[in-house]
Amino acid sequence: MGIGYVVGCLTSIVLWKLDRQYLFYRINKIFHKKINNKILLQLIYVIIVSIICFFIFKIKYGEINNFITAFLVIDISNTEKKNLRQREKFKFYDSISIISRAVVCGFIAPLLFIAAFGNIYGIAYMFIYNISMLEDELMLFRYLFVILTIIPAVIAEIFMYIVYLCRNKKSAIDFKGDYFTNIFVRPLLNVDILGAYIESVNFYYLYSSKNTDYLKSYGEYTKKIDDICVKDYLSIAYGICLIFFIIFYVIIK
């Protein structure tokens, strides 16, 4: 039992050029030409996701179901292509967020829901995550994404904090007093900050409040993010994913 997950994961990695988020973007663009009402659009997405999950649930061959599920939900290898083609210095700062998001949303979260509740829940999370990335106006999916990502993000933080302790021989991390707020409002931000501390670089977060933009800096480092730093963080991300997949496989066995 579980070989379908292994094959599905490997297939997802082999087909690393498949950009799921771009596919969702293209589909959403088609819908936008026909539907301007945000509530109606979200309702249509809910119906479509429910129908797809229903048909996958009806597949009686267990390992085929597992293969399809793993292939659909695991989205980590495309991250490398997105990051290594970013050469401008300011874009390297986006790389930390891209990698962190891939680890949490493209790997840990869907496998966690599969292990805890079943394949359909992992697939549902994949849809919620990708749809939430399309537009801020799709608030139903944005809220669901934040709520469902809290625990997976905390799991990623545990792994990253262990890496930080081993590499930097330090225990203190300054979240500027925002750690618990971030957990429930911006769960991925704490993962980004930990990633920056692992690589001994600063992390800059741009946010808006009362029609004013603010830039917040985390860290007290002078080292700049470059392609070496990005590749190193990628290797750590792949290592975390490998360990979590082993844990996942042991659980489902």
Side-chain angles (χ1 to χ4, degrees), residues 4-30:
Y5 293 120
V6 177
V7 177
C9 179
L10 291 175
T11 304
S12 177
I13 293 173
V14 170
L15 299 178
W16 62 276
K17 290 186 178 181
L18 177 62
D19 191 338
R20 291 167 176 76
Q21 290 178 10
Y22 180 73
L23 179 61
F24 275 86
Y25 167 77
R26 296 297 300 176
I27 294 173
N28 186 65
K29 196 171 182 180
I30 294 172

PDB file of all heavy atoms in Angstrom, residues 4-30:
ATOM      1  N   GLY A   4       1.391   3.990  -4.983  1.00  0.00           N
ATOM      2  CA  GLY A   4       0.807   4.999  -5.869  1.00  0.00           C
ATOM      3  C   GLY A   4       1.258   6.403  -5.515  1.00  0.00           C
ATOM      4  O   GLY A   4       1.512   7.231  -6.400  1.00  0.00           O
ATOM      5  N   TYR A   5       1.393   6.688  -4.210  1.00  0.00           N
ATOM      6  CA  TYR A   5       1.874   7.996  -3.766  1.00  0.00           C
ATOM      7  C   TYR A   5       3.321   8.213  -4.204  1.00  0.00           C
ATOM      8  O   TYR A   5       3.686   9.311  -4.635  1.00  0.00           O
ATOM      9  CB  TYR A   5       1.784   8.110  -2.244  1.00  0.00           C
ATOM     10  CG  TYR A   5       0.381   8.126  -1.702  1.00  0.00           C
ATOM     11  CD1 TYR A   5      -0.041   7.151  -0.804  1.00  0.00           C
ATOM     12  CD2 TYR A   5      -0.525   9.115  -2.073  1.00  0.00           C
ATOM     13  CE1 TYR A   5      -1.332   7.162  -0.295  1.00  0.00           C
ATOM     14  CE2 TYR A   5      -1.820   9.130  -1.559  1.00  0.00           C
ATOM     15  CZ  TYR A   5      -2.214   8.148  -0.677  1.00  0.00           C
ATOM     16  OH  TYR A   5      -3.488   8.157  -0.167  1.00  0.00           O
ATOM     17  N   VAL A   6       4.126   7.164  -4.085  1.00  0.00           N
ATOM     18  CA  VAL A   6       5.538   7.265  -4.467  1.00  0.00           C
ATOM     19  C   VAL A   6       5.672   7.552  -5.953  1.00  0.00           C
ATOM     20  O   VAL A   6       6.399   8.466  -6.372  1.00  0.00           O
ATOM     21  CB  VAL A   6       6.296   5.977  -4.102  1.00  0.00           C
ATOM     22  CG1 VAL A   6       7.747   6.066  -4.585  1.00  0.00           C
ATOM     23  CG2 VAL A   6       6.248   5.729  -2.599  1.00  0.00           C
ATOM     24  N   VAL A   7       4.954   6.784  -6.776  1.00  0.00           N
ATOM     25  CA  VAL A   7       5.021   6.963  -8.226  1.00  0.00           C
ATOM     26  C   VAL A   7       4.451   8.327  -8.623  1.00  0.00           C
ATOM     27  O   VAL A   7       5.001   9.017  -9.494  1.00  0.00           O
ATOM     28  CB  VAL A   7       4.267   5.834  -8.951  1.00  0.00           C
ATOM     29  CG1 VAL A   7       4.279   6.056 -10.461  1.00  0.00           C
ATOM     30  CG2 VAL A   7       4.877   4.474  -8.615  1.00  0.00           C
ATOM     31  N   GLY A   8       3.374   8.729  -7.981  1.00  0.00           N
ATOM     32  CA  GLY A   8       2.775  10.039  -8.277  1.00  0.00           C
ATOM     33  C   GLY A   8       3.709  11.173  -7.935  1.00  0.00           C
ATOM     34  O   GLY A   8       3.819  12.157  -8.688  1.00  0.00           O
ATOM     35  N   CYS A   9       4.404  11.053  -6.801  1.00  0.00           N
ATOM     36  CA  CYS A   9       5.373  12.067  -6.389  1.00  0.00           C
ATOM     37  C   CYS A   9       6.527  12.145  -7.381  1.00  0.00           C
ATOM     38  O   CYS A   9       6.930  13.236  -7.805  1.00  0.00           O
ATOM     39  CB  CYS A   9       5.887  11.753  -4.990  1.00  0.00           C
ATOM     40  SG  CYS A   9       7.129  12.910  -4.369  1.00  0.00           S
ATOM     41  N   LEU A  10       7.060  10.994  -7.769  1.00  0.00           N
ATOM     42  CA  LEU A  10       8.170  10.963  -8.724  1.00  0.00           C
ATOM     43  C   LEU A  10       7.748  11.517 -10.082  1.00  0.00           C
ATOM     44  O   LEU A  10       8.507  12.240 -10.731  1.00  0.00           O
ATOM     45  CB  LEU A  10       8.681   9.528  -8.878  1.00  0.00           C
ATOM     46  CG  LEU A  10       9.393   8.930  -7.654  1.00  0.00           C
ATOM     47  CD1 LEU A  10       9.726   7.463  -7.906  1.00  0.00           C
ATOM     48  CD2 LEU A  10      10.655   9.719  -7.325  1.00  0.00           C
ATOM     49  N   THR A  11       6.521  11.211 -10.512  1.00  0.00           N
ATOM     50  CA  THR A  11       6.019  11.727 -11.790  1.00  0.00           C
ATOM     51  C   THR A  11       5.889  13.239 -11.745  1.00  0.00           C
ATOM     52  O   THR A  11       6.232  13.935 -12.709  1.00  0.00           O
ATOM     53  CB  THR A  11       4.655  11.097 -12.117  1.00  0.00           C
ATOM     54  OG1 THR A  11       4.765   9.678 -12.115  1.00  0.00           O
ATOM     55  CG2 THR A  11       4.155  11.566 -13.484  1.00  0.00           C
ATOM     56  N   SER A  12       5.425  13.750 -10.621  1.00  0.00           N
ATOM     57  CA  SER A  12       5.307  15.203 -10.462  1.00  0.00           C
ATOM     58  C   SER A  12       6.670  15.875 -10.551  1.00  0.00           C
ATOM     59  O   SER A  12       6.811  16.954 -11.131  1.00  0.00           O
ATOM     60  CB  SER A  12       4.649  15.528  -9.118  1.00  0.00           C
ATOM     61  OG  SER A  12       4.588  16.923  -8.899  1.00  0.00           O
ATOM     62  N   ILE A  13       7.696  15.224  -9.980  1.00  0.00           N
ATOM     63  CA  ILE A  13       9.053  15.778 -10.022  1.00  0.00           C
ATOM     64  C   ILE A  13       9.635  15.690 -11.428  1.00  0.00           C
ATOM     65  O   ILE A  13      10.273  16.632 -11.910  1.00  0.00           O
ATOM     66  CB  ILE A  13       9.953  15.036  -9.016  1.00  0.00           C
ATOM     67  CG1 ILE A  13       9.487  15.337  -7.586  1.00  0.00           C
ATOM     68  CG2 ILE A  13      11.409  15.438  -9.193  1.00  0.00           C
ATOM     69  CD1 ILE A  13      10.197  14.524  -6.529  1.00  0.00           C
ATOM     70  N   VAL A  14       9.396  14.563 -12.099  1.00  0.00           N
ATOM     71  CA  VAL A  14       9.905  14.397 -13.462  1.00  0.00           C
ATOM     72  C   VAL A  14       9.275  15.427 -14.406  1.00  0.00           C
ATOM     73  O   VAL A  14       9.960  16.035 -15.228  1.00  0.00           O
ATOM     74  CB  VAL A  14       9.621  12.964 -13.971  1.00  0.00           C
ATOM     75  CG1 VAL A  14       9.918  12.856 -15.465  1.00  0.00           C
ATOM     76  CG2 VAL A  14      10.469  11.956 -13.201  1.00  0.00           C
ATOM     77  N   LEU A  15       7.973  15.643 -14.256  1.00  0.00           N
ATOM     78  CA  LEU A  15       7.281  16.635 -15.087  1.00  0.00           C
ATOM     79  C   LEU A  15       7.363  18.005 -14.425  1.00  0.00           C
ATOM     80  O   LEU A  15       6.360  18.685 -14.196  1.00  0.00           O
ATOM     81  CB  LEU A  15       5.814  16.213 -15.295  1.00  0.00           C
ATOM     82  CG  LEU A  15       5.617  14.873 -16.005  1.00  0.00           C
ATOM     83  CD1 LEU A  15       4.133  14.540 -16.108  1.00  0.00           C
ATOM     84  CD2 LEU A  15       6.254  14.896 -17.396  1.00  0.00           C
ATOM     85  N   TRP A  16       8.580  18.422 -14.121  1.00  0.00           N
ATOM     86  CA  TRP A  16       8.805  19.643 -13.350  1.00  0.00           C
ATOM     87  C   TRP A  16       8.439  20.916 -14.114  1.00  0.00           C
ATOM     88  O   TRP A  16       8.252  21.977 -13.519  1.00  0.00           O
ATOM     89  CB  TRP A  16      10.252  19.714 -12.897  1.00  0.00           C
ATOM     90  CG  TRP A  16      11.246  19.761 -14.025  1.00  0.00           C
ATOM     91  CD1 TRP A  16      11.752  18.696 -14.700  1.00  0.00           C
ATOM     92  CD2 TRP A  16      11.825  20.922 -14.612  1.00  0.00           C
ATOM     93  NE1 TRP A  16      12.620  19.105 -15.670  1.00  0.00           N
ATOM     94  CE2 TRP A  16      12.684  20.473 -15.648  1.00  0.00           C
ATOM     95  CE3 TRP A  16      11.716  22.286 -14.383  1.00  0.00           C
ATOM     96  CZ2 TRP A  16      13.416  21.357 -16.438  1.00  0.00           C
ATOM     97  CZ3 TRP A  16      12.446  23.162 -15.169  1.00  0.00           C
ATOM     98  CH2 TRP A  16      13.281  22.696 -16.182  1.00  0.00           C
ATOM     99  N   LYS A  17       8.316  20.813 -15.427  1.00  0.00           N
ATOM    100  CA  LYS A  17       7.967  21.996 -16.213  1.00  0.00           C
ATOM    101  C   LYS A  17       6.487  22.350 -16.128  1.00  0.00           C
ATOM    102  O   LYS A  17       6.083  23.433 -16.558  1.00  0.00           O
ATOM    103  CB  LYS A  17       8.366  21.795 -17.676  1.00  0.00           C
ATOM    104  CG  LYS A  17       9.867  21.803 -17.923  1.00  0.00           C
ATOM    105  CD  LYS A  17      10.185  21.748 -19.408  1.00  0.00           C
ATOM    106  CE  LYS A  17      11.691  21.806 -19.642  1.00  0.00           C
ATOM    107  NZ  LYS A  17      12.024  21.773 -21.093  1.00  0.00           N
ATOM    108  N   LEU A  18       5.688  21.437 -15.600  1.00  0.00           N
ATOM    109  CA  LEU A  18       4.257  21.695 -15.478  1.00  0.00           C
ATOM    110  C   LEU A  18       4.007  22.746 -14.409  1.00  0.00           C
ATOM    111  O   LEU A  18       4.280  22.524 -13.233  1.00  0.00           O
ATOM    112  CB  LEU A  18       3.513  20.397 -15.123  1.00  0.00           C
ATOM    113  CG  LEU A  18       2.004  20.513 -14.899  1.00  0.00           C
ATOM    114  CD1 LEU A  18       1.308  20.987 -16.170  1.00  0.00           C
ATOM    115  CD2 LEU A  18       1.436  19.179 -14.432  1.00  0.00           C
ATOM    116  N   ASP A  19       3.500  23.899 -14.822  1.00  0.00           N
ATOM    117  CA  ASP A  19       3.233  25.013 -13.908  1.00  0.00           C
ATOM    118  C   ASP A  19       1.741  25.044 -13.601  1.00  0.00           C
ATOM    119  O   ASP A  19       0.938  25.561 -14.375  1.00  0.00           O
ATOM    120  CB  ASP A  19       3.688  26.333 -14.540  1.00  0.00           C
ATOM    121  CG  ASP A  19       3.690  27.473 -13.536  1.00  0.00           C
ATOM    122  OD1 ASP A  19       2.977  27.381 -12.523  1.00  0.00           O
ATOM    123  OD2 ASP A  19       4.410  28.476 -13.768  1.00  0.00           O
ATOM    124  N   ARG A  20       1.350  24.497 -12.469  1.00  0.00           N
ATOM    125  CA  ARG A  20      -0.060  24.417 -12.113  1.00  0.00           C
ATOM    126  C   ARG A  20      -0.683  25.790 -11.912  1.00  0.00           C
ATOM    127  O   ARG A  20      -1.829  26.029 -12.292  1.00  0.00           O
ATOM    128  CB  ARG A  20      -0.236  23.570 -10.850  1.00  0.00           C
ATOM    129  CG  ARG A  20       0.052  22.090 -11.054  1.00  0.00           C
ATOM    130  CD  ARG A  20       0.180  21.372  -9.715  1.00  0.00           C
ATOM    131  NE  ARG A  20       0.359  19.937  -9.864  1.00  0.00           N
ATOM    132  CZ  ARG A  20       1.493  19.360 -10.222  1.00  0.00           C
ATOM    133  NH1 ARG A  20       2.562  20.104 -10.482  1.00  0.00           N
ATOM    134  NH2 ARG A  20       1.584  18.049 -10.329  1.00  0.00           N
ATOM    135  N   GLN A  21       0.073  26.689 -11.301  1.00  0.00           N
ATOM    136  CA  GLN A  21      -0.474  28.015 -11.034  1.00  0.00           C
ATOM    137  C   GLN A  21      -0.749  28.778 -12.321  1.00  0.00           C
ATOM    138  O   GLN A  21      -1.731  29.516 -12.416  1.00  0.00           O
ATOM    139  CB  GLN A  21       0.471  28.800 -10.130  1.00  0.00           C
ATOM    140  CG  GLN A  21       0.505  28.255  -8.707  1.00  0.00           C
ATOM    141  CD  GLN A  21       1.476  28.993  -7.821  1.00  0.00           C
ATOM    142  OE1 GLN A  21       2.010  30.031  -8.192  1.00  0.00           O
ATOM    143  NE2 GLN A  21       1.721  28.452  -6.648  1.00  0.00           N
ATOM    144  N   TYR A  22       0.089  28.596 -13.330  1.00  0.00           N
ATOM    145  CA  TYR A  22      -0.160  29.244 -14.621  1.00  0.00           C
ATOM    146  C   TYR A  22      -1.395  28.641 -15.276  1.00  0.00           C
ATOM    147  O   TYR A  22      -2.186  29.365 -15.907  1.00  0.00           O
ATOM    148  CB  TYR A  22       1.048  29.080 -15.540  1.00  0.00           C
ATOM    149  CG  TYR A  22       0.858  29.738 -16.901  1.00  0.00           C
ATOM    150  CD1 TYR A  22       0.906  31.127 -17.019  1.00  0.00           C
ATOM    151  CD2 TYR A  22       0.623  28.969 -18.035  1.00  0.00           C
ATOM    152  CE1 TYR A  22       0.721  31.740 -18.251  1.00  0.00           C
ATOM    153  CE2 TYR A  22       0.436  29.574 -19.270  1.00  0.00           C
ATOM    154  CZ  TYR A  22       0.486  30.960 -19.372  1.00  0.00           C
ATOM    155  OH  TYR A  22       0.298  31.556 -20.594  1.00  0.00           O
ATOM    156  N   LEU A  23      -1.589  27.334 -15.119  1.00  0.00           N
ATOM    157  CA  LEU A  23      -2.775  26.676 -15.665  1.00  0.00           C
ATOM    158  C   LEU A  23      -4.040  27.238 -15.026  1.00  0.00           C
ATOM    159  O   LEU A  23      -5.013  27.539 -15.721  1.00  0.00           O
ATOM    160  CB  LEU A  23      -2.684  25.166 -15.425  1.00  0.00           C
ATOM    161  CG  LEU A  23      -3.857  24.322 -15.909  1.00  0.00           C
ATOM    162  CD1 LEU A  23      -4.019  24.448 -17.420  1.00  0.00           C
ATOM    163  CD2 LEU A  23      -3.676  22.863 -15.501  1.00  0.00           C
ATOM    164  N   PHE A  24      -4.019  27.404 -13.704  1.00  0.00           N
ATOM    165  CA  PHE A  24      -5.163  27.988 -13.017  1.00  0.00           C
ATOM    166  C   PHE A  24      -5.380  29.432 -13.466  1.00  0.00           C
ATOM    167  O   PHE A  24      -6.520  29.886 -13.601  1.00  0.00           O
ATOM    168  CB  PHE A  24      -4.954  27.935 -11.498  1.00  0.00           C
ATOM    169  CG  PHE A  24      -5.375  26.644 -10.873  1.00  0.00           C
ATOM    170  CD1 PHE A  24      -4.502  25.572 -10.808  1.00  0.00           C
ATOM    171  CD2 PHE A  24      -6.642  26.488 -10.353  1.00  0.00           C
ATOM    172  CE1 PHE A  24      -4.883  24.365 -10.236  1.00  0.00           C
ATOM    173  CE2 PHE A  24      -7.041  25.294  -9.774  1.00  0.00           C
ATOM    174  CZ  PHE A  24      -6.157  24.224  -9.717  1.00  0.00           C
ATOM    175  N   TYR A  25      -4.297  30.155 -13.676  1.00  0.00           N
ATOM    176  CA  TYR A  25      -4.388  31.541 -14.139  1.00  0.00           C
ATOM    177  C   TYR A  25      -5.087  31.618 -15.494  1.00  0.00           C
ATOM    178  O   TYR A  25      -5.951  32.476 -15.712  1.00  0.00           O
ATOM    179  CB  TYR A  25      -2.990  32.142 -14.226  1.00  0.00           C
ATOM    180  CG  TYR A  25      -2.927  33.453 -14.982  1.00  0.00           C
ATOM    181  CD1 TYR A  25      -3.353  34.645 -14.407  1.00  0.00           C
ATOM    182  CD2 TYR A  25      -2.439  33.492 -16.294  1.00  0.00           C
ATOM    183  CE1 TYR A  25      -3.308  35.840 -15.115  1.00  0.00           C
ATOM    184  CE2 TYR A  25      -2.386  34.680 -16.999  1.00  0.00           C
ATOM    185  CZ  TYR A  25      -2.820  35.846 -16.406  1.00  0.00           C
ATOM    186  OH  TYR A  25      -2.775  37.025 -17.113  1.00  0.00           O
ATOM    187  N   ARG A  26      -4.726  30.733 -16.412  1.00  0.00           N
ATOM    188  CA  ARG A  26      -5.332  30.730 -17.746  1.00  0.00           C
ATOM    189  C   ARG A  26      -6.817  30.384 -17.669  1.00  0.00           C
ATOM    190  O   ARG A  26      -7.643  31.006 -18.347  1.00  0.00           O
ATOM    191  CB  ARG A  26      -4.604  29.733 -18.649  1.00  0.00           C
ATOM    192  CG  ARG A  26      -3.147  30.065 -18.928  1.00  0.00           C
ATOM    193  CD  ARG A  26      -2.986  31.372 -19.670  1.00  0.00           C
ATOM    194  NE  ARG A  26      -3.666  31.356 -20.966  1.00  0.00           N
ATOM    195  CZ  ARG A  26      -3.736  32.399 -21.769  1.00  0.00           C
ATOM    196  NH1 ARG A  26      -3.172  33.550 -21.412  1.00  0.00           N
ATOM    197  NH2 ARG A  26      -4.367  32.307 -22.917  1.00  0.00           N
ATOM    198  N   ILE A  27      -7.160  29.391 -16.844  1.00  0.00           N
ATOM    199  CA  ILE A  27      -8.572  29.011 -16.692  1.00  0.00           C
ATOM    200  C   ILE A  27      -9.367  30.157 -16.083  1.00  0.00           C
ATOM    201  O   ILE A  27     -10.485  30.475 -16.528  1.00  0.00           O
ATOM    202  CB  ILE A  27      -8.692  27.747 -15.817  1.00  0.00           C
ATOM    203  CG1 ILE A  27      -8.069  26.551 -16.541  1.00  0.00           C
ATOM    204  CG2 ILE A  27     -10.152  27.466 -15.473  1.00  0.00           C
ATOM    205  CD1 ILE A  27      -7.989  25.299 -15.699  1.00  0.00           C
ATOM    206  N   ASN A  28      -8.791  30.801 -15.072  1.00  0.00           N
ATOM    207  CA  ASN A  28      -9.475  31.923 -14.428  1.00  0.00           C
ATOM    208  C   ASN A  28      -9.684  33.084 -15.394  1.00  0.00           C
ATOM    209  O   ASN A  28     -10.714  33.770 -15.352  1.00  0.00           O
ATOM    210  CB  ASN A  28      -8.661  32.391 -13.218  1.00  0.00           C
ATOM    211  CG  ASN A  28      -9.377  33.452 -12.405  1.00  0.00           C
ATOM    212  OD1 ASN A  28     -10.415  33.209 -11.819  1.00  0.00           O
ATOM    213  ND2 ASN A  28      -8.813  34.645 -12.373  1.00  0.00           N
ATOM    214  N   LYS A  29      -8.726  33.290 -16.272  1.00  0.00           N
ATOM    215  CA  LYS A  29      -8.841  34.360 -17.262  1.00  0.00           C
ATOM    216  C   LYS A  29     -10.009  34.099 -18.210  1.00  0.00           C
ATOM    217  O   LYS A  29     -10.735  35.029 -18.605  1.00  0.00           O
ATOM    218  CB  LYS A  29      -7.534  34.472 -18.045  1.00  0.00           C
ATOM    219  CG  LYS A  29      -7.387  35.782 -18.816  1.00  0.00           C
ATOM    220  CD  LYS A  29      -5.981  35.900 -19.387  1.00  0.00           C
ATOM    221  CE  LYS A  29      -5.817  37.242 -20.114  1.00  0.00           C
ATOM    222  NZ  LYS A  29      -4.442  37.378 -20.669  1.00  0.00           N
ATOM    223  N   ILE A  30     -10.200  32.840 -18.576  1.00  0.00           N
ATOM    224  CA  ILE A  30     -11.323  32.465 -19.437  1.00  0.00           C
ATOM    225  C   ILE A  30     -12.646  32.722 -18.724  1.00  0.00           C
ATOM    226  O   ILE A  30     -13.595  33.275 -19.300  1.00  0.00           O
ATOM    227  CB  ILE A  30     -11.208  30.988 -19.854  1.00  0.00           C
ATOM    228  CG1 ILE A  30      -9.987  30.784 -20.747  1.00  0.00           C
ATOM    229  CG2 ILE A  30     -12.480  30.525 -20.582  1.00  0.00           C
ATOM    230  CD1 ILE A  30      -9.682  29.332 -21.053  1.00  0.00           C
TER     231      ILE A  30
END
